[in-house]
Amino acid sequence: MHNETLRPETTPNGLSSFSPLIDSAKLAHPPGTLVDRYGRRITYVRLSITDRCDFRCTYCMAEEMTFLPRHEVMSLEECLQVATVFVSLGVNKLRITGGEPLVRKNAMWLIERLGALPGLDNLVMTSNGSQLDRFAPALKAAGVRRLNISLDTLNADRFKAITRIGDLGKVFNGIAAAQAAGFRRTKLNAVMMRGINDNEFGDLVQFALDNELDLSFIEEMPLGEIHGRQNTYISSEEAREHLARRFELIPSTESSGGPARYWRIPGTETRIGFISPHSHNFCDTCNRVRITAKGELYPCLGQNDALHLLPVLRDHPGQDAPLREAIIASMGIKPFGHDFTQQMEAPQVVRFMSMTGG
Ligand code: SAM
Ligand code: SF4
């Protein structure tokens, strides 16, 4: 893995300028915003606030995971500082993720402050749902706009097998609590796995329809060393053909600003998304970077280059300028895209999704 420490070159109008690949594209963006070498403006940060989780999903983690020691994890104050600097650089959407974000002690302290950050228009969270029956009202009150909840199956035994330790009942309660707290258009995320949940895709869609939820199907990504991915991979195309036998699916031009492509079912509000990193590369419009719980800034989910913010934070406590410079510098290592292939057996990226933040 690279340990890049880059110095930014900043133009008089505050734009980062590493490679004059598309200068004219950069100039079209507001001054002082984050623009990468390919002219893509970064407005979306995914912030992982813990690598820990109360589940051990087979596609996401090894059975025996070693989690980070506490001193290697950003404090909640450091998370807030990082988010604040990103927002000052034009980021307007932030997703809190993990690991399971709601197992982080005092997570609400951070979330309340993020919810009050001027300029952060869209604070959202991805959760496994297990803690939502406790936290949904507080998340709503703090200003979290929308929730994504992972749900790969509606069958309790299968859920236990996939998550190794999870309780499906708690997730159902969490979904109900989110609805009761006033969250609308909550999105379910289902990782597609041949021979594991592929006979349930239609039932998951029906569940989404019955509960006025959206649903995205995700192609499994080769993150972290896990055996057998090759056997379970299913393309979005195949899943969609399968679903089209039961539901009328109308392609939609809508976008949530992410990599999902959406279909609608006539007469309903439900959107069915497909996130297809293998079969449809979505890198050319990428607007995001990811921050791990360790403070590593990954400009691309599918590559191993990172810029380490924790030393910058700890060498300059309370100072925003060095952090700002480092974040601008990261634009110089944002690659054009990932190159996941369908060779799923060898991990193409050495870290697990729970490390990078999904
Ligand atoms: N714990 C929370 C959850 O499960 O929603 C948030 C973090 S989790 C890493 C975020 C998302 O990543 C989940 O929807 C999960 O299904 C997905 N994910 C994890 N590993 C994956 C993989 N190898 N390929 C595709 N999606 C994956
Ligand atoms: Fe935990 Fe989410 Fe990974 Fe499952 S997918 S192990 S719930 S972080």
Side-chain angles (χ1 to χ4, degrees):
M1 188 180 300
H2 268 68
N3 246 346
E4 300 273 0
T5 309
L6 295 178
R7 288 277 130 215
E9 299 161 31
T10 308
T11 58
N13 66 1
L15 289 172
S16 54
S17 72
F18 295 90
S19 151
L21 284 181
I22 322 186
D23 261 351
S24 56
K26 286 180 186 171
L27 292 175
H29 295 295
T33 54
L34 292 170
V35 181
D36 77 359
R37 294 178 291 162
Y38 303 95
R40 296 171 298 191
R41 184 171 161 206
I42 305 308
T43 54
Y44 179 13
V45 168
R46 293 188 168 214
L47 177 64
S48 169
I49 63 171
T50 180
D51 62 326
R52 290 166 194 256
C53 188
D54 50 353
F55 294 174
R56 296 283 183 279
C57 301
T58 48
Y59 49 76
C60 177
M61 291 191 179
E63 188 151 18
E64 299 297 329
M65 284 293 283
T66 309
F67 295 109
L68 294 168
R70 183 176 296 192
H71 67 273
E72 285 184 26
V73 175
M74 281 194 293
S75 68
L76 294 175
E77 289 81 358
E78 287 165 340
C79 290
L80 180 60
Q81 193 185 349
V82 169
T84 305
V85 169
F86 268 107
V87 171
S88 77
L89 288 165
V91 164
N92 54 26
K93 178 171 179 182
L94 188 137
R95 177 172 301 281
I96 305 160
T97 181
E100 173 48 36
L102 294 173
V103 304
R104 174 82 194 247
K105 202 168 163 214
N106 290 333
M108 283 312 305
W109 178 92
L110 172 67
I111 295 163
E112 282 164 8
R113 278 150 190 82
L114 293 175
L117 257 188
L120 183 55
D121 308 327
N122 204 352
L123 178 63
V124 292
M125 173 180 277
T126 301
S127 167
N128 65 21
S130 68
Q131 312 284 323
L132 278 175
D133 55 346
R134 275 204 292 152
F135 287 107
L139 293 171
K140 184 74 184 158
V144 173
R145 289 262 295 267
R146 201 161 175 239
L147 297 173
N148 286 1
I149 302 176
S150 298
L151 185 68
D152 304 322
T153 174
L154 302 169
N155 174 297
D157 292 336
R158 198 175 271 183
F159 188 81
K160 180 77 84 192
I162 294 173
T163 59
R164 294 192 180 107
I165 46 176
D167 174 353
L168 180 61
K170 282 174 96 178
V171 177
F172 284 149
N173 290 344
I175 295 170
Q179 311 270 52
F183 283 102
R184 293 290 167 262
R185 301 252 61 87
T186 294
K187 181 160 75 85
L188 303 177
N189 282 335
V191 174
M192 301 181 287
M193 292 167 281
R194 189 181 303 284
I196 296 179
N197 65 351
D198 55 338
N199 61 355
E200 274 194 88
F201 295 166
D203 294 346
L204 284 164
V205 170
Q206 192 58 53
F207 180 83
L209 290 171
D210 294 344
N211 292 283
E212 301 182 338
L213 302 163
D214 289 339
L215 167 63
S216 280
F217 289 101
I218 308 177
E219 287 179 357
E220 191 174 345
M221 290 175 251
L223 306 174
E225 172 116 44
I226 287 172
H227 293 286
R229 286 198 205 274
Q230 186 85 325
N231 307 329
T232 52
Y233 171 75
I234 305 184
S235 72
S236 295
E237 207 63 31
E238 182 181 338
R240 204 165 43 245
E241 277 166 19
H242 175 77
L243 286 174
R245 290 184 214 135
R246 180 159 160 193
F247 302 96
E248 189 183 352
L249 295 173
I250 310 286
S252 161
T253 52
E254 289 164 280
S255 154
S256 62
R261 295 179 313 136
Y262 289 101
W263 275 255
R264 278 209 179 264
I265 298 179
T268 77
E269 292 293 306
T270 294
R271 295 189 304 174
I272 305 296
F274 291 90
I275 302 179
S276 322
H278 300 275
S279 48
H280 286 94
N281 184 304
F282 42 72
C283 302
D284 53 339
T285 55
C286 182
N287 63 351
R288 66 198 55 195
V289 296
R290 292 176 157 81
I291 314 289
T292 68
K294 246 175 131 166
E296 297 150 321
L297 190 165
Y298 280 98
C300 176
L301 174 66
Q303 302 281 359
N304 288 317
D305 286 341
L307 196 140
H308 297 251
L309 299 180
L310 203 59
V312 181
L313 283 160
R314 296 201 174 158
D315 288 350
H316 309 277
Q319 292 177 45
D320 286 347
L323 184 61
R324 194 180 154 90
E325 273 186 31
I327 290 172
I328 293 172
S330 71
M331 294 298 101
I333 58 164
K334 187 165 168 64
F336 183 71
H338 67 71
D339 42 19
F340 292 145
T341 65
Q342 288 178 20
Q343 286 305 311
M344 297 285 282
E345 204 50 54
Q348 290 160 33
V349 167
V350 288
R351 58 193 189 280
F352 290 103
M353 185 72 123
S354 58
M355 294 297 299
T356 321

